[in-house]
Amino acid sequence: MAADGPERRGPVIVELHVLSGRPDPRWPLDPGAAAALRALLATLARADAKPPPAPGLGYRGFTVTDSEAVRHVFNGLVTVGDVALADPGRTVERRLLGTLPPEFEHLGPVVAAALDG
Amino acid sequence: MMLRVDVDIFSGRPNPAWVVSDEDAAGALLEEIAAVADEAVGLSGAGYGGLGYREVVISSMSDDESWPESLPRTFTLGTIGAPDPRRSAELARRIVADMPRYRGFKLPGHAETPLDDTTRDLVLEQMDRFFQDPPEWFRPPLFPSNSLRSTIREDEPIDTGCFYEVSEFNPDFWNRPEVQPYNNCYNYARNYRTDTFAQPGRAHGAQTDVMACPDVTRAALADGLVRRFDCLPDSEYPRRLMALVIWPGVDYHWYREQRGDFWGHKPGSTAARNYDNRGALITDPETCDRGGYTDFCGYFYAGKSVVIN
């Protein structure tokens, strides 16, 4: 993410990929959470690994979309197109899970268990 | 009015055929048959198709006869294709018994198959034998040719007489950028692309937020699905076999049986596939790895008239 002011970047939308029948939850990040996420992403090093295939049913990661990029976050990797960043502690996924709105809180333990599994 | 009668019984020689030329008798007969059409009448070719006695075909002699609305202009009696074959046989037997009365009206086949007592008695004897122990007979329904689709008869563990269709696994249809994100497991299992991430019951004002077997089942039934073994007629072709599972309190998921004895599914906006969470081919949706979707709700047919949104 470029170092422009937040007002230049527009909203950051997070989507949690976990459901099959019902639509996956989507929510916007508040400016503070978006800034914290950008700072965290800036600390990650490039990785050679490719993301593993997600399971069909259950937790399959997050997508973070803003005016600059669509980032896929799953299993300790953040990918943008062909570029991957390593996040072995799955910090980004946990940070995103922490922004889960109250109406989706029943999904929190499910994702947390997948992250710790 | 006159009626033509053909007894479908022979293979080499001409079938016994005659015309009920007594107009009053023909009218009365047609009226009597029309009154019990729902029980006794079948369609030509829908019953037994093997060697020996098969059915009695009744047809009109001209295209402008007044005709009962409840009867097609060609229909069958004495057929196991009728809803009540015994009732159908009783009517047919009476018509055959009158055969010699109409030998005066000549038809081309009468030289080889005369309308005499011998022919009548032979037909009556064969009919009686046939209906004492009607043969098991399955005639595959006649559907438009489709190389991607086959019809399955439900005969295990018991022969229910239900039919449904299985399709060739065709994930490429679903896994395109303009399709994949907008169609979910319900779209895939029903085999109906709506681009609306279809929800059970939504098309009929019966959607539920309760993620439990009874509630999602109720919503799906409102869309027109029926429980397995509640046979769908051929008019509902193509009929899909679907399976519903539930992640208790969270979500639902559907599978569809494919041609080749395996099942396909499309988890949410992800790609359509035929393997489970362990990567194994899904041969049984009840025992495959379904992650958190632990509750198996059952199987359903979705016929042509099922509308989802």
Side-chain angles (χ1 to χ4, degrees), chain B residues 1 179 182 208 269:
Chain B
M1 168 190 294
V179 177
Y182 312 110
T208 181
S269 56

Side-chain angles (χ1 to χ4, degrees), chain A residues 11 15 45-47 49 53 109:
Chain A
E15 185 167 2
R46 292 281 292 266

Side-chain angles (χ1 to χ4, degrees), chain B residues 157-173:
Chain B
I158 55 165
D159 189 351
T160 61
C162 291
F163 296 91
Y164 65 92
E165 279 63 47
V166 287
S167 306
E168 197 72 20
F169 182 53
N170 186 15
D172 291 349
F173 173 87

Side-chain angles (χ1 to χ4, degrees), chain B residues 58-71:
Chain B
I58 314 287
S59 51
S60 61
M61 293 288 290
S62 57
D63 63 12
D64 58 355
E65 296 277 14
S66 71
W67 201 260
E69 281 187 17
S70 60
L71 292 174

Side-chain angles (χ1 to χ4, degrees), chain A residues 78-89:
Chain A
V78 179
T79 56
V80 186
D82 294 333
V83 177
L85 303 174
D87 179 28

